[in-house]
Amino acid sequence: MIKLDQRTAAKMGVALEEVCGGLPYGGDHETRKHIASQLVKAARRGNDTLEGLKSVAERALQELSSCKSA
């Protein structure tokens, strides 16, 4: 398992907050948990840029939105 450095963890936090910031109350626990999980997976695969992580977070939120509307 690849250990994430502090810089990557900080970028993941920024991406999570930016994506969830537009949700009511910053998003519910399950939504934030799903997005965070996807961010961890992406970072462990080497996606450690802020823009890349934001894209992952946005995609994870869209996945949830499409599941809830189905």
Side-chain angles (χ1 to χ4, degrees):
M1 179 183 317
I2 297 173
K3 186 173 181 178
L4 303 175
D5 61 26
Q6 289 180 343
R7 186 174 248 171
T8 301
K11 290 177 196 175
M12 290 167 50
V14 169
L16 179 66
E17 291 306 319
E18 285 192 15
V19 169
C20 291
L23 299 173
Y25 308 106
D28 62 61
H29 177 74
E30 289 303 315
T31 297
R32 293 178 67 86
K33 183 177 173 182
H34 174 74
I35 295 169
S37 172
Q38 296 305 307
L39 286 169
V40 168
K41 288 178 187 177
R44 287 194 172 138
R45 288 191 304 257
N47 184 352
D48 62 357
T49 66
L50 182 55
E51 290 304 314
L53 292 169
K54 283 182 192 178
S55 293
V56 168
E58 289 167 358
R59 203 171 322 119
L61 180 59
Q62 288 174 351
E63 288 172 3
L64 286 175
S65 297
S66 65
C67 289
K68 289 180 182 179
S69 64

